[in-house]
Amino acid sequence: MRFTDPSWLALAALAFPIAWIAVRRFATMSRARRWLSAFLRTVLVGLLAGMLAGATAVRETERLAVIAVVDSSASAQRLPDPSGVYLPRPGEPAAEDMPDALRRLLARAGDARKTDDLLGIVSFDGAAAAIATPSRVDLSDRAVDLRLRDGSNLEEALRTAAALVPADATGRLLLISDGNQTTGDALRVARELAGGAAPIAVDVLPLAFDARNEVVVELVDAPPRAAAQSTVSVRVVLRSSGPASGTLRLLREGEAVDANGPEPGTGRRVRLSGGLHVERIEVPLETGRVHRFEAVFEPDGERADTHAGNNRGTSFTVTPGKGSVLMMGSSATGPTRALAELWRGAGLDVTEATPEGLPPDLLGMQRYDLIVLDSVPAEELSEDEQKRIAAYVRELGGGLLMIGGRGSFGSGGWRGSQIEPLLPMRLELPAELVAPETAIVFVIDRSGSMTARVAGSSRTQQEIANESTSTAIASLDPTDLVGVIAFDGNAEVVVPLGPNDDPEKTSARVMSISSGGGTDIGPAMMAARQQLLDADAKTKHVIVLSDGRSSGAELLPELAQSMADDGITITTIGVGDGADDQTMQAMATRGGGVYYRVVNPLALPRLFLKAVRIVRSPMLREDPFNARVVPMGSPFIAGLERELASAPLLRGLNLTQVSLDPTASTPLLSDQGEPLLAHWRVELGTVAAFTSDASLWSRDWQRWEGLTPFWTRLARLTSRAGTGAGGVLTAEAESGRLALRLEALDGAGKPRDLLSVPVTVYGPGGERREVTLDQTGPGVYEGELEAADAGSYIAVARPSLAGQRLAPVLGGASVAGGEEFRRLSADEDLLEAIAQATGGRVLTVQEVADGLVFDRAGVVPRRAALPMWRSLLAWALLVLMLDIGTRRVAWERLFGGELRRGLAERSAARVASRNVRAAETAGALAARQAAKRAQQQARRAERSNAESDARAAQQERAARRAEPRAAKKDESGVSATSLLAAKRRARREGSEPDEG
């Protein structure tokens, strides 16, 4: 046993005075109780002191836990012959690929385990994950090629594996890797493992390779900022394993740049002799704010290069050039051509596109000062794209204009979206305007096949289906009726059909749906039908999602037809390759709905929104009305009040409510008070909304003289305002880290000190991270954060001085993809250094296969320390209860003479009581016997009297026969018969007891 803080053991000294006080104070107790109570209190104090001192049980163990740390990055999988990693036994088939070879190798190594030895597996690339925790289980069927992120992070992998070592076992790691780390510092972690309280040795198995005939684009370097329409020098660094030749091309925004000067063609011929080679290309910048560059090396011949993934590199330059307007219309109709031409005529640079043309990252959006959503429904922009637009407005100061139409605002499904909080009006309508018109039941598959992963990510089809349903529910109005039924082999009503007044609670229930079981749609359809038959709504609809073939599939189309006859329409969605297209199509056709075939489940959110938008009543009014000006001094209509008062009628608008936020301006209303034009500031950007459209409803406006000033002012005032020169923000990506540096300057170009500089960094996937820069020099602020994923990183610095915000500063950098493929050989030096730092070994494939990793040579038994506070706490509670019982219960009487005398007296009393009860019982029995004898005597007397009467009667009858008919009377005048009768009466009366 040992103690983490032995100083607390001094409390044990209090046990002696406490015991002495107990003996003196408990004088009324017997001697035994006093001394026992003192002893218990002494023990209690000792237990408490042990807990506070951190008592720990320490024992040595020779149990060995080996954690295999397997490199599953792309670079580690490019060994041409997997037999070099796994040597098959005689008669055993050869390994199919590298993952199969590694799996077999570990299974064979695990055969050498002793009884108590454990084996675990950690797989890693740019991230690490535990495939199997240390156990005695056979791991021959475990896959080791889990792909999580690009790159190779040995540091995270070693930390993850070390954390899996049990506390009661000696740990050893087996690192199987090529050593080419792109993120982290594995050697530093190795030294930490060796110097810890329980040292862990790391054996290494190098996956050695030496790429030949390989050319790598090492770096594309362009200045992060440049003057508008200037010329910049782009530096391209190439590295080759030997002599090579090819063509170097430079692309700007996907278009080829002439890198060949007066020579024919745009590509530059390059000859490499091995090692590093630098090419510089002068590029004149055109109009625009963002300029992306991509360098591509095309080798001569197929054998001149072995991997094309490392033949590309990217960079970008930002200029203060003029931004343009990105005008997006729906995929069906496109943007309004007349409005785009009107803006071009007013001098605006307009790019027309559909939602598919939205730039894939914030850097691409930076070239636009205004994004226009012209009657675009919500389902045409994914949630990530909506988040990107929100960040573009809030962080980059971009403008957003939403124009109405049948697919816009509430009728476009924008309620509950990422864009709704940006709009300067409320999309939720008053209850008196919207009656319960739509009742929708979502019937969601939760069978076991829904656990399939999507597109190689960690998300399952079930998770995406649940999220899609939740998104669709959030887009519905509170008065709409919503129900959710999940099915596998059975049906479960997750959300009973009812008003959508608490979409967050409904979404939480939907998100809890888990997968498992078979597939049977029929019971779920019947449950949905029953709920909808009882619903009071104009439109009743069922949306069915399934990824498999249902039991009783032949009956489903007929059931759909029956539901359609009851006024219930059906939309079906088939997900994945296993869906029964024929049955799902027939259900939708006979159910009066639409069938959607989805190959990629990531498209489900848009599809659900579209299915919901089609069936519910649009939140719009198509009646002519006049625009009404609200005098609030809005710059959007300043000087146009007279023209607006005489403007032609508009023929429709989307129904919304005026925002309750006082910062939102609504200068134009309909004649019934609904917002027509509203605008406000959202952090750095401006958002405006026009709830009528730019074509059909406003066709009478085309002859209005104020049309061009109105739309031009709306575009210019919503667009991003120019920002002053607040400094220069540079970013450099290296070894998985993004280094940021801000040079803050005032208007005169002098350094600004004592600034607070929070920076928001947006990664390639749109993820947002925050970092605060520290001042390192006059006007210089620096910081860094992780940047492991390939792509462009956009950094927005928001400096402030004494709470006053200054102009934001934009910067960024690009991380080239395929970083791990830029290494031409395995880093065996790093692997050997890791083994040497931890006391491990560099093993061969044969040594691993023979189980050398479980060899205990040189293994120091681990001293396993197990905290004892739980056990001590339990004993302390027990001792405390015994102490209380000792003081409250006079247990010594159980062994005293007084108790024995009391027991004897109570025993004698019980015996006497039993004797009295026995006597009483005997007397009662004697009385009953006497009464019984008396009854018997009475019965015998009665029988005797009866017999006497019978004899007398017989004698009397005989006498009557003997007497003549006229009996003579004696002299007393009494007949003989009368005398006999009198005798009988007298005899009877004499035999009866005297009642007196």
Side-chain angles (χ1 to χ4, degrees):
M1 179 182 294
R2 68 183 182 190
F3 301 93
T4 57
D5 192 357
S7 61
W8 285 100
L9 293 177
L11 290 177
L14 296 176
F16 299 102
I18 289 176
W20 182 80
I21 293 172
V23 172
R24 297 294 302 270
R25 292 292 301 273
F26 300 153
T28 57
M29 297 183 185
S30 64
R31 178 177 297 178
R33 286 176 62 197
R34 289 202 306 270
W35 284 104
L36 180 59
S37 178
F39 172 75
L40 291 174
R41 291 191 171 198
T42 301
V43 173
L44 181 60
V45 171
L47 291 172
L48 294 176
M51 280 192 294
L52 294 173
T56 304
V58 182
R59 64 184 180 90
E60 289 189 353
T61 175
E62 292 187 357
R63 194 181 193 191
L64 182 60
V66 175
I67 314 295
V69 186
V70 182
D71 192 341
S72 60
S73 63
S75 64
Q77 307 299 318
R78 61 179 174 178
L79 293 183
D81 185 7
S83 63
V85 174
Y86 178 69
L87 305 176
R89 294 172 177 172
E92 187 178 7
E96 298 177 359
D97 51 22
M98 277 297 298
D100 183 41
L102 292 173
R103 178 181 59 80
R104 292 195 193 184
L105 177 63
L106 294 178
R108 186 168 166 183
D111 294 339
R113 284 181 289 182
K114 293 184 178 180
T115 304
D116 293 335
D117 289 345
L118 309 175
L119 176 62
I121 301 176
V122 169
S123 178
F124 75 96
D125 46 16
I131 298 296
T133 56
S135 67
R136 284 287 308 163
V137 177
D138 182 16
L139 303 179
S140 60
D141 60 341
R142 298 295 180 93
V144 297
D145 57 341
L146 182 65
R147 298 307 308 272
L148 300 172
R149 182 187 296 174
D150 290 339
S152 182
N153 191 336
L154 274 71
E155 176 182 347
E156 182 179 347
L158 293 176
R159 291 190 187 279
T160 302
L164 294 179
V165 176
D168 59 347
T170 300
R172 171 176 277 169
L173 308 185
L174 173 62
L175 176 59
I176 306 176
S177 173
D178 60 7
N180 286 327
Q181 60 178 347
T182 61
T183 305
D185 188 347
L187 188 56
R188 180 184 61 189
V189 177
R191 295 191 180 103
E192 293 176 3
L193 297 179
I200 298 177
V202 181
D203 295 336
V204 298
L205 173 59
L207 298 178
F209 70 92
D210 187 7
R212 300 183 179 182
N213 301 324
E214 185 71 35
V215 179
V216 176
V217 176
E218 187 80 12
L219 175 68
V220 178
D221 183 25
R225 300 183 68 87
Q229 297 184 342
S230 61
T231 299
V232 298
S233 177
V234 179
R235 185 169 63 98
V236 181
V237 180
L238 303 173
R239 184 159 54 92
S240 63
S241 59
S245 63
T247 302
L248 178 63
R249 302 186 185 279
L250 184 66
L251 308 179
R252 180 185 55 204
E253 303 301 332
E255 299 292 333
V257 174
D258 187 1
N260 210 21
E263 300 296 326
T266 58
R268 178 181 297 181
R269 294 292 300 168
V270 176
R271 293 188 178 275
L272 308 174
S273 58
L276 294 179
H277 182 89
V278 178
E279 292 286 339
R280 295 182 180 274
I281 303 174
E282 301 298 320
V283 182
L285 300 180
E286 298 179 351
T287 59
R289 181 175 286 115
V290 178
H291 311 272
R292 292 177 187 258
F293 302 105
E294 181 180 20
V296 181
F297 178 78
E298 300 174 352
D300 294 336
E302 296 180 357
R303 296 184 178 181
D305 191 60
T306 59
H307 187 75
N310 55 13
N311 290 4
R312 295 174 177 269
T314 60
S315 184
F316 66 88
T317 297
V318 179
T319 65
K322 178 182 177 182
S324 62
V325 176
L326 176 61
M327 186 176 183
M328 294 191 297
S330 70
S331 300
T333 62
T336 304
R337 180 62 58 87
L339 181 58
E341 293 299 329
L342 182 151
W343 277 335
R344 289 192 182 99
L348 298 178
D349 182 10
V350 180
T351 301
E352 299 178 60
T354 59
E356 289 77 9
L358 183 71
D361 53 33
L362 283 173
L363 180 61
M365 298 173 68
Q366 178 66 11
R367 74 186 58 165
Y368 303 108
D369 286 336
L370 173 65
I371 293 178
V372 180
L373 299 178
D374 184 9
S375 192
V376 176
E379 75 266 9
E380 294 193 18
L381 288 169
S382 68
E383 185 174 1
D384 288 341
E385 290 171 331
Q386 295 178 26
K387 288 181 179 179
R388 199 153 62 241
I389 292 176
Y392 161 80
V393 173
R394 297 178 185 276
E395 305 291 344
L396 302 184
L400 175 64
L401 171 61
M402 180 175 281
I403 300 175
R406 295 182 180 275
S408 190
F409 296 100
S411 59
W414 287 102
R415 259 188 56 79
S417 67
Q418 299 293 325
I419 299 297
E420 183 185 16
L422 303 179
L423 299 177
M425 69 270 291
R426 292 179 290 161
L427 301 187
E428 178 182 348
L429 298 185
E432 60 269 15
L433 292 182
V434 183
E437 296 191 357
T438 305
I440 300 179
V441 176
F442 297 88
V443 179
I444 307 300
D445 192 344
R446 65 171 184 188
S447 60
S449 57
M450 293 290 286
T451 59
R453 303 288 176 181
V454 174
S457 70
S458 60
R459 302 172 69 196
T460 65
Q461 290 186 167
Q462 189 69 68
E463 292 171 342
I464 295 177
N466 295 349
E467 293 173 4
S468 304
T469 306
S470 300
T471 301
I473 290 173
S475 72
L476 295 172
D477 199 80
T479 58
D480 289 329
L481 304 180
V482 175
V484 180
I485 298 175
F487 70 90
D488 43 25
N490 301 302
E492 177 189 359
V493 178
V494 179
V495 180
L497 187 65
N500 188 35
D501 51 8
D502 193 353
E504 292 184 0
K505 181 178 180 180
T506 302
S507 296
R509 292 183 180 179
V510 172
M511 296 300 293
S512 67
I513 296 175
S514 58
S515 306
T519 304
D520 192 353
I521 303 177
M525 293 284 291
M526 292 297 295
R529 176 183 186 179
Q530 186 59 47
Q531 291 194 31
L532 289 170
L533 286 176
D534 299 334
D536 181 15
K538 295 180 181 179
T539 303
K540 301 178 181 181
H541 195 70
V542 176
I543 299 177
V544 182
L545 178 141
S546 178
D547 76 334
R549 299 179 180 273
S550 170
S551 301
E554 66 279 0
L555 303 177
L556 294 177
E558 184 177 350
L559 176 58
Q561 179 68 61
S562 177
M563 295 175 66
D565 295 340
D566 293 331
I568 302 172
T569 55
I570 300 172
T571 291
T572 58
I573 303 174
V575 184
D577 298 331
D580 187 352
D581 293 338
Q582 183 176 355
T583 301
M584 300 284 278
Q585 176 72 63
M587 289 172 60
T589 301
R590 299 184 65 176
V594 181
Y595 172 58
Y596 296 101
R597 181 74 171 88
V598 181
V599 177
N600 182 5
L602 294 174
L604 280 177
R606 300 186 186 188
L607 234 164
F608 266 84
L609 284 174
K610 185 175 182 179
V612 167
R613 183 174 59 85
I614 289 174
V615 301
R616 67 185 310 274
S617 299
M619 299 170 61
L620 50 86
R621 179 184 295 132
E622 294 186 294
D623 296 325
F625 69 94
N626 282 310
R628 180 161 60 90
V629 178
V630 179
M632 56 175 52
S634 170
F636 281 68
I637 62 170
L640 294 176
E641 293 86 348
R642 181 175 301 177
E643 289 82 353
L644 284 166
S646 60
L649 294 174
L650 292 168
R651 298 178 179 271
L653 82 164
N654 296 94
L655 297 177
T656 60
Q657 288 192 87
V658 175
S659 174
L660 300 178
D661 194 311
T663 62
S665 299
T666 311
L668 292 181
L669 299 174
S670 71
D671 51 11
Q672 297 191 30
E674 297 97 356
L676 176 60
L677 173 65
H679 60 86
W680 66 350
R681 292 281 296 179
V682 180
E683 296 190 23
L684 298 181
T686 301
V687 180
F690 184 71
T691 58
S692 189
D693 69 3
S695 56
L696 181 64
W697 294 338
S698 61
R699 57 183 179 270
D700 294 339
W701 273 30
Q702 302 305 316
R703 61 178 186 274
W704 176 43
E705 60 183 7
L707 181 66
T708 298
F710 174 81
W711 282 113
T712 302
R713 179 172 297 183
L714 187 59
R716 292 190 184 280
L717 292 180
T718 309
S719 295
R720 172 172 30 206
T723 57
V728 177
L729 179 64
T730 58
E732 293 184 2
E734 185 177 359
S735 299
R737 307 291 294 178
L738 184 69
L740 301 170
R741 187 174 190 270
L742 173 67
E743 296 181 12
L745 307 173
D746 59 14
K750 296 182 180 180
R752 285 182 177 269
D753 296 327
L754 303 178
L755 297 180
S756 173
V757 187
V759 179
T760 302
V761 178
Y762 293 91
E767 66 277 7
R768 169 177 171 166
R769 282 174 291 178
E770 303 284 343
V771 63
T772 299
L773 305 187
D774 298 322
Q775 186 167 7
T776 59
V780 178
Y781 303 82
E782 296 180 329
E784 67 174 18
L785 75 165
E786 183 182 359
D789 295 332
S792 297
Y793 289 82
I794 306 301
V796 181
R798 301 182 302 278
S800 62
L801 179 62
Q804 182 180 0
R805 296 185 64 173
L806 307 178
V809 184
L810 178 72
S814 294
V815 175
E819 177 66 23
E820 53 197 321
F821 289 107
R822 301 180 185 280
R823 315 294 173 86
L824 302 181
S825 62
D827 193 346
E828 297 185 64
D829 292 339
L830 174 63
L831 296 176
E832 291 178 4
I834 291 174
Q836 183 177 3
T838 60
R841 301 160 294 183
V842 179
L843 302 178
T844 64
V845 171
Q846 188 63 56
E847 289 173 335
V848 173
D850 293 340
L852 190 61
V853 289
F854 289 98
D855 181 13
R856 282 173 166 72
V859 173
V860 179
R862 184 170 185 175
R863 296 174 60 87
L866 302 177
M868 298 178 60
W869 67 268
R870 290 183 176 86
S871 300
L872 295 178
L873 178 60
W875 279 106
L877 292 175
L878 177 61
V879 171
L880 177 62
M881 298 303 296
L882 290 175
D883 177 46
I884 295 173
T886 298
R887 291 183 285 109
R888 299 297 182 185
V889 179
W891 50 266
E892 74 278 6
R893 294 184 179 181
L894 295 173
F895 308 100
E898 180 181 349
L899 179 60
R900 290 196 298 271
R901 288 192 298 273
L903 292 175
E905 292 175 357
R906 288 195 292 273
S907 178
R910 291 193 188 97
V911 171
S913 177
R914 285 197 296 272
N915 291 338
V916 171
R917 290 196 297 272
E920 292 176 350
T921 302
L925 291 174
R928 285 197 294 272
Q929 290 176 355
K932 184 176 182 180
R933 286 194 297 272
Q935 292 176 355
Q936 291 175 350
Q937 292 174 358
R939 283 195 293 272
R940 285 196 296 269
E942 185 176 356
R943 285 196 299 271
S944 177
N945 291 335
E947 293 174 355
S948 298
D949 288 344
R951 287 193 298 271
Q954 184 178 7
Q955 292 173 359
E956 183 177 358
R957 286 193 297 271
R960 286 178 180 174
R961 286 193 299 269
E963 290 180 354
R965 291 183 179 273
K968 295 181 179 181
K969 296 183 179 180
D970 58 8
E971 53 188 20
S972 61
V974 180
S975 65
T977 304
S978 300
L979 290 174
L980 290 172
K983 289 180 180 181
R984 287 195 296 272
R985 286 195 298 272
R987 190 166 49 248
R988 285 196 302 271
E989 292 174 357
S991 66
E992 293 176 358
D994 188 2
E995 294 179 0

